[in-house]
Tab-separated table of all heavy atoms in Angstrom:
chain	number	residue	atom	x	y	z
A	54	ILE	N	-58.244	8.555	-13.301
A	54	ILE	CA	-58.484	8.850	-11.891
A	54	ILE	C	-57.984	7.760	-10.939
A	54	ILE	O	-57.301	8.075	-9.978
A	54	ILE	CB	-60.033	9.057	-11.681
A	54	ILE	CG1	-60.439	10.419	-12.232
A	54	ILE	CG2	-60.393	9.002	-10.177
A	54	ILE	CD1	-61.954	10.687	-12.164
A	55	VAL	N	-58.306	6.521	-11.245
A	55	VAL	CA	-57.845	5.409	-10.341
A	55	VAL	C	-56.330	5.361	-10.277
A	55	VAL	O	-55.741	5.244	-9.191
A	55	VAL	CB	-58.456	4.072	-10.816
A	55	VAL	CG1	-57.852	2.913	-10.003
A	55	VAL	CG2	-59.960	4.097	-10.679
A	56	TYR	N	-55.713	5.477	-11.438
A	56	TYR	CA	-54.230	5.440	-11.463
A	56	TYR	C	-53.637	6.574	-10.653
A	56	TYR	O	-52.715	6.354	-9.841
A	56	TYR	CB	-53.762	5.541	-12.961
A	56	TYR	CG	-52.278	5.691	-13.108
A	56	TYR	CD1	-51.419	4.571	-12.980
A	56	TYR	CD2	-51.733	6.925	-13.412
A	56	TYR	CE1	-50.057	4.721	-13.151
A	56	TYR	CE2	-50.355	7.079	-13.559
A	56	TYR	CZ	-49.506	5.971	-13.476
A	56	TYR	OH	-48.164	6.111	-13.598
A	57	ALA	N	-54.145	7.804	-10.862
A	57	ALA	CA	-53.588	8.960	-10.113
A	57	ALA	C	-53.846	8.807	-8.623
A	57	ALA	O	-52.998	9.128	-7.787
A	57	ALA	CB	-54.232	10.240	-10.647
A	58	ARG	N	-55.053	8.320	-8.254
A	58	ARG	CA	-55.330	8.118	-6.814
A	58	ARG	C	-54.339	7.160	-6.216
A	58	ARG	O	-53.801	7.386	-5.080
A	58	ARG	CB	-56.749	7.627	-6.625
A	58	ARG	CG	-57.132	7.416	-5.156
A	58	ARG	CD	-58.504	6.734	-5.037
A	58	ARG	NE	-59.552	7.598	-5.491
A	58	ARG	CZ	-60.526	7.207	-6.341
A	58	ARG	NH1	-60.481	6.013	-6.847
A	58	ARG	NH2	-61.440	8.066	-6.718
A	59	ASN	N	-54.046	6.073	-6.867
A	59	ASN	CA	-53.112	5.069	-6.346
A	59	ASN	C	-51.686	5.628	-6.246
A	59	ASN	O	-50.977	5.312	-5.329
A	59	ASN	CB	-53.137	3.813	-7.208
A	59	ASN	CG	-54.360	2.958	-6.940
A	59	ASN	OD1	-54.923	2.988	-5.841
A	59	ASN	ND2	-54.733	2.199	-7.953
A	60	ARG	N	-51.322	6.475	-7.133
A	60	ARG	CA	-50.011	7.130	-7.081
A	60	ARG	C	-49.926	8.064	-5.849
A	60	ARG	O	-48.911	8.085	-5.147
A	60	ARG	CB	-49.704	7.894	-8.316
A	60	ARG	CG	-49.445	7.000	-9.549
A	60	ARG	CD	-48.918	7.797	-10.712
A	60	ARG	NE	-47.619	8.334	-10.393
A	60	ARG	CZ	-47.054	9.374	-11.022
A	60	ARG	NH1	-47.707	10.024	-11.946
A	60	ARG	NH2	-45.871	9.803	-10.661
A	61	LEU	N	-51.045	8.798	-5.605
A	61	LEU	CA	-51.082	9.669	-4.433
A	61	LEU	C	-51.043	8.856	-3.136
A	61	LEU	O	-50.316	9.214	-2.202
A	61	LEU	CB	-52.342	10.534	-4.469
A	61	LEU	CG	-52.325	11.651	-5.513
A	61	LEU	CD1	-53.770	12.212	-5.668
A	61	LEU	CD2	-51.398	12.777	-5.115
A	62	LEU	N	-51.767	7.762	-3.090
A	62	LEU	CA	-51.758	6.884	-1.885
A	62	LEU	C	-50.358	6.322	-1.662
A	62	LEU	O	-49.890	6.278	-0.500
A	62	LEU	CB	-52.766	5.776	-2.057
A	62	LEU	CG	-54.238	6.175	-2.108
A	62	LEU	CD1	-55.121	4.913	-2.343
A	62	LEU	CD2	-54.671	6.866	-0.842
A	63	ALA	N	-49.681	5.896	-2.733
A	63	ALA	CA	-48.336	5.352	-2.572
A	63	ALA	C	-47.368	6.425	-2.059
A	63	ALA	O	-46.553	6.152	-1.183
A	63	ALA	CB	-47.874	4.831	-3.915
A	64	ALA	N	-47.476	7.641	-2.620
A	64	ALA	CA	-46.573	8.734	-2.132
A	64	ALA	C	-46.794	8.996	-0.668
A	64	ALA	O	-45.838	9.316	0.046
A	64	ALA	CB	-46.857	9.976	-2.978
A	65	LEU	N	-48.045	8.879	-0.189
A	65	LEU	CA	-48.362	9.187	1.188
A	65	LEU	C	-48.337	7.923	2.092
A	65	LEU	O	-48.632	7.956	3.281
A	65	LEU	CB	-49.782	9.779	1.302
A	65	LEU	CG	-49.904	11.161	0.563
A	65	LEU	CD1	-51.363	11.576	0.460
A	65	LEU	CD2	-49.086	12.220	1.323
A	66	ARG	N	-47.882	6.832	1.471
A	66	ARG	CA	-47.717	5.525	2.218
A	66	ARG	C	-49.022	5.076	2.836
A	66	ARG	O	-49.059	4.610	3.990
A	66	ARG	CB	-46.620	5.632	3.263
A	66	ARG	CG	-45.246	5.964	2.592
A	66	ARG	CD	-44.154	6.145	3.619
A	66	ARG	NE	-42.985	6.777	3.033
A	66	ARG	CZ	-41.914	7.184	3.684
A	66	ARG	NH1	-41.877	7.035	5.003
A	66	ARG	NH2	-40.913	7.734	3.065
A	67	LEU	N	-50.104	5.235	2.105
A	67	LEU	CA	-51.401	4.713	2.490
A	67	LEU	C	-51.724	3.471	1.673
A	67	LEU	O	-51.518	3.490	0.477
A	67	LEU	CB	-52.482	5.808	2.278
A	67	LEU	CG	-52.396	7.026	3.174
A	67	LEU	CD1	-53.333	8.111	2.670
A	67	LEU	CD2	-52.809	6.652	4.597
A	68	THR	N	-52.229	2.445	2.345
A	68	THR	CA	-52.558	1.208	1.613
A	68	THR	C	-54.026	0.933	1.519
A	68	THR	O	-54.481	-0.007	0.892
A	68	THR	CB	-51.865	0.004	2.327
A	68	THR	OG1	-52.274	-0.031	3.664
A	68	THR	CG2	-50.346	0.143	2.213
A	69	GLU	N	-54.839	1.714	2.239
A	69	GLU	CA	-56.305	1.533	2.224
A	69	GLU	C	-56.970	2.763	1.629
A	69	GLU	O	-56.489	3.877	1.712
A	69	GLU	CB	-56.829	1.320	3.672
A	69	GLU	CG	-56.247	0.061	4.346
A	69	GLU	CD	-56.740	-1.199	3.691
A	69	GLU	OE1	-57.832	-1.186	3.066
A	69	GLU	OE2	-55.994	-2.205	3.759
A	70	TRP	N	-58.133	2.514	1.057
A	70	TRP	CA	-58.931	3.571	0.484
A	70	TRP	C	-60.401	3.274	0.682
A	70	TRP	O	-60.831	2.132	0.545
A	70	TRP	CB	-58.629	3.761	-0.990
A	70	TRP	CG	-59.593	4.735	-1.664
A	70	TRP	CD1	-60.684	4.452	-2.401
A	70	TRP	CD2	-59.538	6.167	-1.569
A	70	TRP	NE1	-61.339	5.615	-2.809
A	70	TRP	CE2	-60.606	6.677	-2.300
A	70	TRP	CE3	-58.655	7.024	-0.949
A	70	TRP	CZ2	-60.815	8.031	-2.415
A	70	TRP	CZ3	-58.910	8.347	-1.045
A	70	TRP	CH2	-59.971	8.903	-1.785
A	71	LYS	N	-61.167	4.265	1.046
A	71	LYS	CA	-62.605	4.115	1.070
A	71	LYS	C	-63.199	5.361	0.454
A	71	LYS	O	-62.648	6.470	0.565
A	71	LYS	CB	-63.124	3.914	2.519
A	71	LYS	CG	-62.855	5.047	3.457
A	71	LYS	CD	-63.436	4.763	4.835
A	71	LYS	CE	-63.196	5.895	5.820
A	71	LYS	NZ	-63.712	5.632	7.150
A	72	GLN	N	-64.353	5.208	-0.204
A	72	GLN	CA	-64.963	6.338	-0.890
A	72	GLN	C	-65.412	7.387	0.135
A	72	GLN	O	-65.972	7.057	1.164
A	72	GLN	CB	-66.208	5.837	-1.681
A	72	GLN	CG	-66.711	6.869	-2.683
A	72	GLN	CD	-65.699	7.195	-3.779
A	72	GLN	OE1	-65.068	6.265	-4.295
A	72	GLN	NE2	-65.543	8.483	-4.051
A	73	VAL	N	-65.137	8.620	-0.177
A	73	VAL	CA	-65.526	9.731	0.704
A	73	VAL	C	-66.318	10.755	-0.121
A	73	VAL	O	-66.180	10.818	-1.345
A	73	VAL	CB	-64.319	10.402	1.337
A	73	VAL	CG1	-63.597	9.503	2.297
A	73	VAL	CG2	-63.356	10.920	0.305
A	74	GLU	N	-67.199	11.478	0.588
A	74	GLU	CA	-67.978	12.454	-0.084
A	74	GLU	C	-67.219	13.780	-0.105
A	74	GLU	O	-66.778	14.221	0.989
A	74	GLU	CB	-69.334	12.649	0.612
A	74	GLU	CG	-70.247	13.638	-0.104
A	74	GLU	CD	-71.580	13.818	0.652
A	74	GLU	OE1	-71.773	13.165	1.693
A	74	GLU	OE2	-72.411	14.651	0.165
A	75	VAL	N	-67.121	14.405	-1.231
A	75	VAL	CA	-66.414	15.674	-1.345
A	75	VAL	C	-67.458	16.732	-1.686
A	75	VAL	O	-68.090	16.699	-2.762
A	75	VAL	CB	-65.353	15.624	-2.436
A	75	VAL	CG1	-64.697	16.995	-2.590
A	75	VAL	CG2	-64.298	14.604	-2.063
A	76	LYS	N	-67.668	17.631	-0.746
A	76	LYS	CA	-68.677	18.689	-0.922
A	76	LYS	C	-68.121	19.935	-1.590
A	76	LYS	O	-68.754	20.547	-2.423
A	76	LYS	CB	-69.343	19.045	0.423
A	76	LYS	CG	-70.081	17.853	1.076
A	76	LYS	CD	-70.695	18.286	2.405
A	76	LYS	CE	-71.428	17.107	3.039
A	76	LYS	NZ	-71.969	17.494	4.382
A	77	ASP	N	-66.885	20.284	-1.175
A	77	ASP	CA	-66.307	21.551	-1.695
A	77	ASP	C	-65.374	21.215	-2.858
A	77	ASP	O	-64.304	20.600	-2.687
A	77	ASP	CB	-65.510	22.221	-0.584
A	77	ASP	CG	-65.013	23.623	-1.038
A	77	ASP	OD1	-65.244	23.974	-2.186
A	77	ASP	OD2	-64.385	24.281	-0.212
A	78	THR	N	-65.781	21.548	-4.084
A	78	THR	CA	-64.937	21.338	-5.254
A	78	THR	C	-64.694	22.637	-6.002
A	78	THR	O	-64.475	22.636	-7.200
A	78	THR	CB	-65.645	20.331	-6.186
A	78	THR	OG1	-66.901	20.900	-6.591
A	78	THR	CG2	-65.846	18.989	-5.520
A	79	SER	N	-64.750	23.748	-5.243
A	79	SER	CA	-64.639	25.070	-5.878
A	79	SER	C	-63.251	25.634	-5.882
A	79	SER	O	-63.065	26.825	-5.970
A	79	SER	CB	-65.609	26.046	-5.181
A	79	SER	OG	-65.265	26.170	-3.819
A	80	PHE	N	-62.256	24.791	-5.714
A	80	PHE	CA	-60.873	25.287	-5.598
A	80	PHE	C	-60.354	25.806	-6.924
A	80	PHE	O	-60.425	25.127	-7.971
A	80	PHE	CB	-59.957	24.154	-5.103
A	80	PHE	CG	-60.257	23.698	-3.715
A	80	PHE	CD1	-61.011	22.580	-3.474
A	80	PHE	CD2	-59.800	24.427	-2.615
A	80	PHE	CE1	-61.291	22.183	-2.185
A	80	PHE	CE2	-60.071	24.019	-1.335
A	80	PHE	CZ	-60.806	22.906	-1.096
A	81	THR	N	-59.813	27.032	-6.889
A	81	THR	CA	-59.188	27.616	-8.115
A	81	THR	C	-57.689	27.359	-8.111
A	81	THR	O	-57.001	27.603	-9.088
A	81	THR	CB	-59.455	29.115	-8.199
A	81	THR	OG1	-58.965	29.737	-6.988
A	81	THR	CG2	-60.959	29.382	-8.324
A	82	SER	N	-57.196	26.898	-6.981
A	82	SER	CA	-55.770	26.562	-6.820
A	82	SER	C	-55.629	25.329	-5.957
A	82	SER	O	-56.457	25.164	-5.031
A	82	SER	CB	-55.006	27.765	-6.158
A	82	SER	OG	-53.768	27.349	-5.690
A	83	PRO	N	-54.654	24.493	-6.195
A	83	PRO	CA	-54.478	23.302	-5.365
A	83	PRO	C	-53.838	23.637	-4.002
A	83	PRO	O	-53.741	22.757	-3.146
A	83	PRO	CB	-53.580	22.396	-6.197
A	83	PRO	CG	-52.770	23.348	-6.979
A	83	PRO	CD	-53.687	24.491	-7.318
A	84	SER	N	-53.373	24.886	-3.836
A	84	SER	CA	-52.574	25.182	-2.628
A	84	SER	C	-53.266	24.856	-1.320
A	84	SER	O	-52.653	24.202	-0.445
A	84	SER	CB	-52.207	26.665	-2.660
A	84	SER	OG	-51.298	26.951	-3.714
A	85	PRO	N	-54.539	25.237	-1.087
A	85	PRO	CA	-55.175	24.899	0.184
A	85	PRO	C	-55.347	23.379	0.403
A	85	PRO	O	-55.253	22.919	1.560
A	85	PRO	CB	-56.554	25.596	0.121
A	85	PRO	CG	-56.760	25.889	-1.276
A	85	PRO	CD	-55.451	26.073	-1.917
A	86	ILE	N	-55.554	22.631	-0.645
A	86	ILE	CA	-55.653	21.180	-0.504
A	86	ILE	C	-54.297	20.613	-0.148
A	86	ILE	O	-54.154	19.729	0.748
A	86	ILE	CB	-56.139	20.513	-1.840
A	86	ILE	CG1	-57.424	21.217	-2.343
A	86	ILE	CG2	-56.369	19.050	-1.650
A	86	ILE	CD1	-57.842	20.760	-3.746
C-alpha cells in the first residue's frame, strides 16, 4: 500500500500526504475514481 501510494503521488507530482477518511469503498470499477 505505501509503495503504491507513493507511486501514485509521484505520477501526480504531489509531495505531501495526509491521512483522509474514505467512506465510499463500494466501487466495482476504478473508472469513476
Side-chain angles (χ1 to χ4, degrees):
I54 286 176
V55 172
Y56 173 77
R58 181 188 293 131
N59 284 332
R60 290 190 65 201
L61 287 166
L62 294 177
L65 296 169
R66 300 178 193 172
L67 291 168
T68 57
E69 298 293 334
W70 172 259
K71 62 179 180 180
Q72 194 65 43
V73 293
E74 183 181 0
V75 178
K76 296 179 181 179
D77 187 359
T78 60
S79 60
F80 294 98
T81 57
S82 164
S84 295
I86 309 171

